[in-house]
Amino acid sequence: VVNYAPFTLLPSAVPRALFEQAYAVQQDFNLLVDAISQNKGFLEQTLASTIKVDDFTARLFRIYMQVLEEGLAQTVFLGINRSDYMFDCGLDGTAALRQIEINTIAASFGGLTSRTADVHGLVLKVLGKTKEASHLLPNNPAEGLALGIAKAWELYGSQRAMVMFLVEEVQRNIFDQRCVENELWNRNIRVIRRRFRDVFERGSLDASRRLYMDGQEVAVVYYREGYVPQNYNQQNWEARLLLERSRAVKCPDIATQLAGTKKVQQELSRPGTLEKLLPGRPEAIARIRATFAGLYSLDEGEEGDRIAATAIADPDRFVLKPQREGGGNNLYGEELRQVLEKIKDSPERTSYILMDKIKPQPALNYLLRAHSPLQVSECISELGIFGVYVRQGQELVLNQAAGHLLRTKAIEHADGGVAAGVAVLDTPFLV
Ligand code: ADP
Ligand code: MG
């Protein structure tokens, strides 16, 4: 079944200053994620409590330790991430940029959103708003992401080698991926699409741990899968280990995937942590920290007891987040209170973090979705900035922002992105 991707009828207003702030901090976030991925001590310490109670994170962590023990064959590293924000409305009505999370694996919609500015430009023209249409910014994340993949492919240094998109068993977002793929073909880079199951059945390593798929060498593995427990059975875990052990550039490598966990995000907000991870970069640290919302550890101990009690007393101030990706997992309001009440004295508590709830100012828009009635809704938006970087050994050879994504949803949905069927694609109209 083919459906059109859901989108807003009209572009949404976004404060220009906050939009620019989000772009200005993206290279800093790239640096930070890359630094975390190389800091074994930090990852070990930060995830110690989580991996005791969260099986999925524990499994990823085991692969991470295993490849480190063997010694990394990979020498070129490619990060594609998306840092997501909402605009928190203060009591005096001014909005502040607040990071929701940073996605370090399978950050999607860079392809489809490369088309949305044209759609909204056309709608504005049909409405007689030609001047407004001309103000929409060009945006082409597909090109930016492909640039990173192409750079990594080039540094891998084998003309014959291919790029492999690691894709889902049931592919729900294929056209988004094809936009990036086509940019690579335009650069004469060969692309194949394979599932974990294919890797398990037909993937192999040679003596120097070069990765072969169906007899052909693979230079870059770009994961659009593998970020939730449901993506894995025993064979898929074995395939993941094979890929991680290989010399191929993984986007992301397993360390970078772990750097994107919610537990790491919470730990970053602790005073002094950024200073340890990015020594000698006070300006980058200030830009990063200015985007943080309040984040709280639920680890066992007095600090966790205190914040758990506060959240039970006032649940609407917070969001309770498990170590999951993909939308629809967080808990709010009464449900948050009930769950916290139940787990507050058990170790299970440490598989969650608490975060201050961001409260944006709603605006009216129409959400267009296949098979859904058309009606005007009160909406809020989430801005994502794509980041791309490439490191060879210790040298960062590429570090840039690669475009943006605006997703908008009706206010009655507390959680969930586009893939979860809640948010739709949008275009920022800067004000
Ligand atoms: P996931 O990895 O599942 O995407 P997120 O942290 O992005 O997890 O949360 C999913 C959605 O929940 C977000 O897209 C946003 O709409 C909502 N959300 C998350 N954190 C907050 C918050 N602190 N305040 C308000 N809404 C939030
Ligand atoms: Mg998210």
Side-chain angles (χ1 to χ4, degrees):
V1 176
V2 179
N3 279 334
Y4 68 86
F7 62 102
T8 55
L9 180 60
L10 300 164
S12 292
V14 167
R16 180 184 298 273
L18 303 190
F19 182 83
E20 286 171 357
Q21 184 189 352
Y23 262 95
V25 70
Q26 187 55 46
Q27 285 171 304
D28 304 322
F29 272 118
N30 290 346
L31 272 183
L32 177 63
V33 171
D34 190 43
I36 296 167
S37 78
Q38 296 174 78
N39 194 325
K40 176 167 171 261
F42 175 76
L43 282 175
E44 231 171 352
Q45 211 175 8
T46 302
L47 295 174
S49 55
T50 308
I51 61 180
K52 278 192 205 137
V53 284
D54 188 87
D55 282 344
F56 181 61
T57 312
R59 231 151 160 182
L60 293 172
F61 195 81
R62 277 214 298 280
I63 294 182
Y64 168 60
M65 293 306 272
Q66 200 172 334
V67 294
L68 279 186
E69 263 160 44
E70 185 180 21
L72 293 183
Q74 181 177 348
T75 58
V76 177
F77 295 83
L78 163 64
I80 292 179
N81 62 54
R82 200 189 65 223
S83 181
D84 290 337
Y85 307 90
M86 282 161 65
F87 313 116
D88 198 19
C89 186
L91 292 173
D92 60 352
T94 57
L97 188 73
R98 289 286 168 260
Q99 187 182 50
I100 296 296
E101 62 156 350
I102 189 157
N103 303 280
T104 61
I105 180 166
S108 59
F109 295 108
L112 292 185
T113 206
S114 299
R115 308 289 193 270
T116 45
D118 282 346
V119 174
H120 288 117
L122 176 63
V123 173
L124 288 178
K125 283 179 197 169
V126 170
L127 290 170
K129 308 265 180 205
T130 312
K131 196 169 115 249
E132 285 81 355
S134 71
H135 289 169
L136 295 180
L137 298 171
N139 182 35
N140 197 348
E143 191 183 27
L145 306 192
L147 177 83
I149 297 173
K151 187 76 199 166
W153 174 85
E154 180 195 315
L155 292 173
Y156 180 87
S158 168
Q159 280 291 325
R160 282 160 301 138
M162 306 174 298
V163 171
M164 176 164 75
F165 283 34
L166 206 286
V167 298
E168 319 105 284
E169 197 73 31
V170 179
Q171 300 179 27
R172 295 183 58 222
N173 200 13
I174 188 169
F175 297 113
D176 182 52
Q177 300 162 9
R178 291 285 192 200
C179 293
V180 181
E181 178 180 336
N182 289 345
E183 295 281 344
L184 292 167
W185 285 107
N186 289 343
R187 294 163 183 267
N188 299 318
I189 298 174
R190 297 184 62 78
V191 179
I192 56 171
R193 301 171 57 84
R194 296 290 185 273
R195 301 159 303 178
F196 274 130
R197 167 215 296 253
D198 304 309
V199 174
F200 177 81
E201 286 167 1
R202 308 191 307 279
S204 61
L205 304 186
D206 72 7
S208 56
R209 283 192 267 159
R210 287 177 187 278
L211 174 65
Y212 287 84
M213 191 63 219
D214 297 319
Q216 299 224 52
E217 188 173 356
V218 176
V220 179
V221 179
Y222 174 43
Y223 290 106
R224 293 296 298 256
E225 152 91 335
Y227 52 91
V228 286
Q230 302 87 284
N231 294 158
Y232 291 93
N233 56 25
Q234 186 51 35
Q235 295 190 344
N236 292 6
W237 280 116
E238 282 175 39
R240 179 74 197 255
L241 178 62
L242 181 93
L243 297 174
E244 293 303 322
R245 291 183 56 230
S246 79
R247 175 182 294 261
V249 182
K250 272 77 64 183
C251 179
D253 68 331
I254 194 128
T256 305
Q257 180 174 357
L258 289 169
T261 50
K262 300 206 164 46
K263 183 64 191 175
V264 165
Q265 180 189 7
Q266 172 259 302
E267 203 56 32
L268 293 176
S269 74
R270 221 182 258 288
T273 305
L274 289 176
E275 282 76 3
K276 273 188 215 131
L277 290 165
L278 293 176
R281 293 187 181 269
E283 283 134 17
I285 289 171
R287 281 188 295 266
I288 289 171
R289 193 167 277 144
T291 69
F292 284 173
L295 288 147
Y296 313 94
S297 165
L298 285 169
D299 283 2
E300 288 173 280
E302 203 189 315
E303 183 192 340
D305 292 346
R306 213 172 328 117
I307 196 68
T310 308
I312 286 169
D314 195 359
D316 284 331
R317 255 183 62 198
F318 299 96
V319 181
L320 182 63
K321 298 189 171 190
Q323 305 302 312
R324 285 294 90 84
E325 303 292 330
N329 304 299
N330 301 335
L331 301 166
Y332 303 81
E334 183 52 27
E335 204 183 354
L336 177 158
R337 199 188 60 71
Q338 282 172 13
V339 169
L340 254 190
E341 191 72 68
K342 201 172 92 205
I343 62 173
K344 69 179 188 327
D345 298 317
S346 96
E348 196 193 336
R349 183 176 95 182
T350 51
S351 65
Y352 293 85
I353 64 158
L354 268 172
M355 183 173 183
D356 280 343
K357 188 166 169 190
I358 309 307
K359 297 178 173 157
Q361 181 70 48
L364 296 179
N365 211 329
Y366 291 89
L367 307 180
L368 307 188
R369 187 182 288 117
H371 314 301
S372 286
L374 180 60
Q375 62 193 39
V376 70
S377 306
E378 272 202 280
C379 299
I380 54 175
S381 301
E382 185 168 344
L383 174 69
I385 308 291
F386 289 96
V388 178
Y389 59 91
V390 176
R391 173 165 54 81
Q392 185 169 36
Q394 284 308 306
E395 192 198 352
L396 206 57
V397 292
L398 183 100
N399 177 12
Q400 57 190 47
H404 56 268
L405 167 72
L406 193 70
R407 292 172 298 167
T408 293
K409 64 179 184 182
I411 49 169
E412 49 269 27
H413 298 288
D415 208 303
V418 180
V422 170
V424 309
L425 303 174
D426 198 350
T427 298
F429 186 87
L430 299 189
V431 294

